[in-house]
Amino acid sequence: MFTPLLFMAVMTGKVIVENTKKAKNISSETVNEVILTPNEKVVFSKTNEKLLESIVEKPIIIVKNKEEYEKPEAFIFDEQNLSNILSKLQTAYGVEIVVQNKEILNCPVTADLGTESLFSKIEILNTLLNSSSKTEGSRIVIVGGSCVPYKPKF
């Protein structure tokens, strides 16, 4: 059965999306509100009348000096701590990236993330650090991982 969905994505600015519904036999209203910033979206399910916040499928670079971040060399890293790399990604895309295993934040990483999409960049880092990632609402969560150098399987 098809569940009717409505969605809204934000590329620039800030948008407040709310579902205001008058409760039956009660004079008050229930409000489900989400504040969206660039690269975020909200999905409204008509069936359960809830707003679910998440990241757009293809986040774009949103910083003011966008040209600097769109150069292929902008995301080439040589022995940079993971924390520095994630900070640059968060600044460029405006998406929060959380690391559960704080020990890997100091791992030195050498990688050419080039002009890959944000999610591809995260997947490359996951491969290098033996970690995985998932989206939780409007943030990316990196789970597990270690500083053991990546060894390709032949």
Side-chain angles (χ1 to χ4, degrees), residues 113-124:
L113 304 179
T115 56
E116 300 289 332
S117 70
L118 173 61
F119 289 116
S120 294
K121 287 175 170 85
I122 295 295
E123 282 307 310
I124 291 168

Side-chain angles (χ1 to χ4, degrees), residues 55-98:
I55 301 170
V56 296
E57 283 77 24
K58 294 182 180 180
I60 60 169
I61 294 173
I62 61 165
V63 290
K64 290 183 181 176
N65 56 335
K66 189 175 181 176
E67 300 79 29
E68 284 296 312
Y69 286 86
E70 289 177 332
K71 294 178 182 174
E73 63 270 15
F75 292 102
I76 296 175
F77 302 99
D78 185 22
E79 295 295 309
Q80 287 287 310
N81 284 349
L82 178 63
S83 61
N84 295 341
I85 296 170
L86 296 181
S87 178
K88 188 167 187 174
L89 291 174
Q90 288 180 108
T91 299
Y93 292 94
V95 174
E96 181 183 9
I97 304 171
V98 178

Side-chain angles (χ1 to χ4, degrees), residues 11-150:
M11 302 316 281
T12 61
K14 188 183 277 191
V15 175
I16 298 174
V17 179
E18 64 180 32
N19 173 27
T20 305
K21 181 178 177 172
K22 193 94 163 176
K24 290 182 180 179
N25 301 324
I26 301 174
S27 60
S28 66
E29 294 179 339
T30 58
V31 178
N32 183 8
E33 177 181 278
V34 174
I35 299 172
L36 297 176
T37 55
N39 286 327
E40 293 181 349
K41 71 176 181 179
V42 65
V43 176
F44 176 73
S45 170
K46 288 183 179 179
T47 305
N48 61 14
E49 298 186 354
K50 291 198 180 210
L51 295 172
L52 303 171
E53 188 178 5
S54 62
I55 301 170
V56 296
E57 283 77 24
K58 294 182 180 180
I60 60 169
I61 294 173
I62 61 165
V63 290
K64 290 183 181 176
N65 56 335
K66 189 175 181 176
E67 300 79 29
E68 284 296 312
Y69 286 86
E70 289 177 332
K71 294 178 182 174
E73 63 270 15
F75 292 102
I76 296 175
F77 302 99
D78 185 22
E79 295 295 309
Q80 287 287 310
N81 284 349
L82 178 63
S83 61
N84 295 341
I85 296 170
L86 296 181
S87 178
K88 188 167 187 174
L89 291 174
Q90 288 180 108
T91 299
Y93 292 94
V95 174
E96 181 183 9
I97 304 171
V98 178
V99 176
Q100 286 186 342
N101 177 7
K102 303 296 184 207
E103 292 177 12
I104 67 170
L105 287 172
N106 292 319
C107 291
V109 175
T110 297
D112 180 354
L113 304 179
T115 56
E116 300 289 332
S117 70
L118 173 61
F119 289 116
S120 294
K121 287 175 170 85
I122 295 295
E123 282 307 310
I124 291 168
L125 293 172
N126 283 335
T127 299
L128 294 172
L129 297 165
N130 298 310
S131 59
S132 61
S133 60
K134 58 186 176 182
T135 57
E136 288 182 354
S138 61
R139 65 186 193 163
I140 298 171
V141 179
I142 296 176
V143 180
S146 65
C147 287
V148 177
Y150 170 71

